[in-house]
Amino acid sequence: MRAALARLSAGVSLHAFIEASTDWAFHMSESPGRQLELAERAMQNAMKLMTLASKAGLGSPHPFVPKPYDHRFRHPGWQAPPFLLWQQGFLAIQDWWDHATDHLRGLRPENADRTRFMARQILDTMSPSNFPALNPEIIEAFLASGGRNLTDGAGHFLRDMVKTLTQTHDPAPEGFRIGEDLACTPGKVVFRNDLFELIQYDAQTAETMAEPILIVPAWIMKYYILDLSPHNSMVNYLVRQGFTVFIISWCNPAAEQAGLSLEDYRTAGVMAALDAVGRIVPGSKIHAAGYCLGGTMLAIAAATMARNGDDRLASITLMAAQVDFAEAGELLLFADESQVAFLEDMMWDQGYLDRPQMARTFSTIRSEDLIWSRAVRRYFLGQEELPTDMGVWVADTTRMPAKMHGQYLRGLFLENRLTAGRFAVEGRVIALKDISTPMFAVATETDHIAPWKSVYKTKLFTDCDLVFVLASGGHNSGIVNEPSDRRSHYRLTHRPAGGLYTGPDDWIADASPEDGSWWPAWKDWLQEKSSGSRQAPATGAPAHGLPPLDPAPGRYVLQM
């Protein structure tokens, strides 16, 4: 019954949100001071709107501005009456609710945040930008096309509804084929088990650095975010700089793999890949790099290796990867005992967390842009979405096996065991402070999946030699940051082994921004941590049971 209820609510526990709103309502009813503040706020906002209306909005500063990530009111038509008043009225109400759901003495902070989230979702459905008669951009498109924008939009809506109901996907558009246009760096699959394929990329230089690089991507999406188009492929960049590069391509788990655990991803994933790389490039240590959840798993593996005296790692790079989840951003809105139990029930029934269920969670965090702005463009303006390499990758989602995802949500997200000294591997607790291998940690400024201050806490829980980088961009765009992008910038500082801790606010005040991509700085650091160059190794190791199997990108990346 619980699994069926979870499916009906798209995996969201209504109890968790009812509890939050009830907690907020009771504490608000007992806070006459806050009630007076909100009454005053409402009067101030109303006076600002009346003043704006009396001047017809012409030449006067706007009292309310959209949030930086809210692009619904960018069209110039929103700056003229009456559309300006509708826009400002909506933003005034949004401002009032932001203050109404602010933290309150006695109210659990997570319940205040959940209530704000719910209020924002309700308000977003009522935004004037969502209604054709109130949106100047839609009216302009209607007059220019004779109404064709609405008929085209209706066609888009029907096609999207059919795809949603049938759970089908459009094939990749021309120019964005996997293995031809995307994930196209030449290489070979040199190892395969039920969990992953290991790809070794062909050398593009006569000599390569002695230590190879093993990249551990997240399994919540497919690996080729790090091998997109040739111009912005991190893999291609590293190979051109003279590194031997390996990458894990995870399988897309089906219901029969529901029993895969976090420990399986460590042993049959990361450790099996390290063993294979060691057989192909014997006698060399390995630079290991992990992205997102892959970085979290790499940190767990590295701490376990340090505890066990395994010194095969030459360096560790963590990209947008969290080791502490106390400040994990808005994803924490979906992580409490009720919510995790609800998801566990649904995954018990299905065998996995399905792709649309994850996509909805990420979309609601930025619903202004990812849901409503997209809907307006597609259904009311009749615009086709122009394909991009990043967009094709985002749509190519994967499933999460039930056992692993339950352990991840409960052990890491909900109970934060890794940094609390309660995360056990093989029956013994591990500690990140055991890691002595040099580390390079990258966070991104506008990341709403792994907020930079949460990633920064890697410095708090480690004592090793560590370089911390804060790059411009978000969770994906800040990592896929090719050197040709002149709009980007980054901050970089070095903490020697055993150095004192500096808080994130003090750190960013002292760290000067540098123009350009962080990739060249990472490349220089990897070269510094290497022991020199050598003749490029052969592909695979047939003598050790690792012959080349298939051309890159392999089979698993094509699993639907």
Side-chain angles (χ1 to χ4, degrees):
M1 185 186 74
R2 288 171 60 90
L5 288 173
R7 288 200 183 203
L8 286 174
S9 66
V12 175
S13 170
L14 298 181
H15 172 79
F17 286 93
I18 292 171
E19 179 187 36
S21 59
T22 303
D23 190 21
W24 171 82
F26 271 114
H27 281 88
M28 180 63 71
S29 69
E30 299 167 351
S31 305
R34 175 61 64 87
Q35 294 173 30
L36 288 172
E37 288 176 7
L38 291 174
E40 183 180 15
R41 188 86 183 188
M43 292 175 61
Q44 290 173 345
N45 288 1
M47 290 300 298
K48 291 176 182 178
L49 289 175
M50 292 173 61
T51 302
L52 184 70
S54 67
K55 299 177 180 177
L58 300 176
S60 57
H62 301 165
F64 305 100
V65 295
K67 292 178 170 61
Y69 49 79
D70 187 353
H71 305 303
R72 290 174 291 187
F73 304 109
R74 290 191 302 178
H75 189 271
W78 288 108
Q79 307 307 311
F83 306 106
L84 175 62
L85 294 178
W86 297 337
Q87 175 228 59
Q88 289 291 294
F90 170 78
L91 294 176
I93 296 172
Q94 187 181 68
D95 172 81
W96 187 88
W97 272 103
D98 281 347
H99 283 79
T101 53
D102 205 352
H103 291 184
L104 186 63
R105 188 169 182 270
L107 173 63
R108 295 178 64 188
E110 56 268 32
N111 284 342
D113 294 340
R114 272 203 185 96
T115 306
R116 174 177 293 183
F117 176 81
M118 288 186 290
R120 198 177 79 202
Q121 299 302 312
I122 295 170
L123 285 173
D124 284 345
T125 66
M126 299 185 292
S127 169
S129 60
N130 298 337
F131 299 92
L134 304 180
N135 188 324
E137 188 174 8
I138 299 174
I139 295 171
E140 181 182 289
F142 181 86
L143 295 175
S145 67
R148 183 167 181 174
N149 60 309
L150 295 182
T151 58
D152 288 347
H156 296 162
F157 177 79
L158 289 173
R159 286 200 300 274
D160 289 351
M161 183 173 66
V162 169
K163 284 192 295 183
T164 300
L165 293 174
T166 59
Q167 289 300 296
T168 56
H169 294 266
D170 290 332
E174 191 66 34
F176 297 91
R177 307 291 184 189
I178 309 303
E180 299 175 19
D181 310 295
L182 310 181
C184 60
T185 303
K188 297 285 191 302
V189 174
V190 293
F191 176 84
R192 178 186 295 124
N193 62 18
D194 292 339
L195 189 57
F196 77 97
E197 293 177 325
L198 182 67
I199 300 171
Q200 179 183 357
Y201 291 95
D202 298 341
Q204 298 180 20
T205 55
E207 291 190 339
T208 61
M209 303 306 296
E211 288 77 16
I213 298 174
L214 171 64
I215 300 177
V216 184
W219 52 89
I220 198 167
M221 296 291 281
K222 295 186 177 178
Y223 85 89
Y224 65 91
I225 180 63
L226 302 176
D227 185 26
L228 278 175
S229 304
H231 69 91
N232 61 3
S233 165
M234 177 183 288
V235 165
N236 192 46
Y237 173 79
L238 291 170
V239 173
R240 284 191 287 110
Q241 299 302 314
F243 290 96
T244 301
V245 179
F246 295 82
I247 197 167
I248 290 174
S249 174
W250 301 103
C251 74
N252 192 3
E256 57 269 20
Q257 293 171 293
L260 285 172
S261 66
L262 268 178
E263 180 65 1
D264 290 327
Y265 276 86
R266 185 187 71 87
T267 55
V270 176
M271 301 310 296
L274 284 171
D275 292 342
V277 173
R279 287 152 65 188
I280 295 170
V281 190
S284 293
K285 291 192 175 186
I286 300 167
H287 296 296
Y291 175 45
C292 187
L293 183 53
T296 305
M297 178 51 67
L298 176 58
I300 292 171
T304 306
M305 293 171 71
R307 182 195 69 186
N308 297 341
D310 187 338
D311 63 351
R312 285 181 288 171
L313 298 182
S315 72
I316 301 166
T317 298
L318 303 180
M319 299 178 285
Q322 300 174 95
V323 296
D324 180 87
F325 294 83
E327 300 178 56
E330 291 183 289
L331 284 177
L332 286 174
L333 297 172
F334 301 91
D336 67 1
E337 190 65 41
S338 173
Q339 180 63 65
V340 171
F342 219 53
L343 285 173
E344 286 173 337
D345 293 335
M346 185 171 65
M347 292 189 295
W348 165 82
D349 183 38
Q350 297 177 167
Y352 49 76
L353 184 65
D354 207 354
R355 295 172 289 191
Q357 292 153 351
M358 286 187 293
R360 280 192 290 265
T361 298
F362 289 121
S363 295
T364 53
I365 292 174
R366 288 289 180 265
S367 60
E368 303 93 333
D369 199 33
L370 299 179
I371 296 177
W372 299 108
S373 292
R374 179 184 180 275
V376 167
R377 289 193 306 270
R378 190 157 174 77
Y379 306 140
F380 290 143
L381 297 176
Q383 296 175 357
E384 284 283 6
E385 294 178 314
L386 295 177
T388 64
D389 50 10
M390 188 78 75
V392 170
W393 172 80
V394 167
D396 194 9
T397 51
T398 57
R399 295 175 288 271
M400 295 289 100
K403 185 174 183 179
M404 181 285 302
H405 202 56
Q407 291 173 334
Y408 167 66
L409 289 175
R410 187 173 293 282
L412 295 175
F413 236 90
L414 183 59
E415 299 178 3
N416 203 18
R417 293 179 189 171
L418 183 56
T419 54
R422 295 186 292 110
F423 192 93
V425 176
E426 297 172 343
R428 296 161 58 201
V429 169
I430 60 171
L432 296 172
K433 286 187 178 292
D434 290 343
I435 299 172
S436 59
T437 305
M439 189 175 292
F440 193 97
V442 185
T444 58
E445 291 177 346
T446 58
D447 195 333
H448 62 279
I449 295 173
W452 81 264
K453 289 186 178 181
S454 180
V455 176
Y456 183 86
K457 294 177 81 171
T458 304
K459 295 180 69 174
L460 182 62
F461 295 103
T462 60
D463 286 329
C464 59
D465 184 277
L466 186 145
V467 170
F468 183 80
V469 172
L470 179 61
S472 57
H475 188 71
N476 299 320
S477 62
I479 300 300
V480 183
N481 184 209
E482 70 274 16
S484 61
D485 185 357
R486 301 301 177 189
R487 299 167 299 174
S488 57
H489 62 266
Y490 66 95
R491 292 174 168 85
L492 181 150
T493 59
H494 171 242
R495 182 202 67 188
L500 298 178
Y501 175 73
T502 302
D505 294 328
D506 292 334
W507 177 86
I508 199 170
D510 294 336
S512 301
E514 302 282 343
D515 291 334
S517 165
W518 60 271
W519 286 8
W522 181 41
K523 180 261 298 182
D524 293 342
W525 183 83
L526 288 171
Q527 290 177 337
E528 177 189 325
K529 302 303 177 186
S530 299
S531 60
S533 60
R534 57 181 287 175
Q535 184 178 352
T539 301
H544 295 90
L546 295 174
L549 301 175
D550 296 309
R555 301 177 189 174
Y556 286 177
V557 75
L558 303 176
Q559 291 176 331
M560 298 301 291

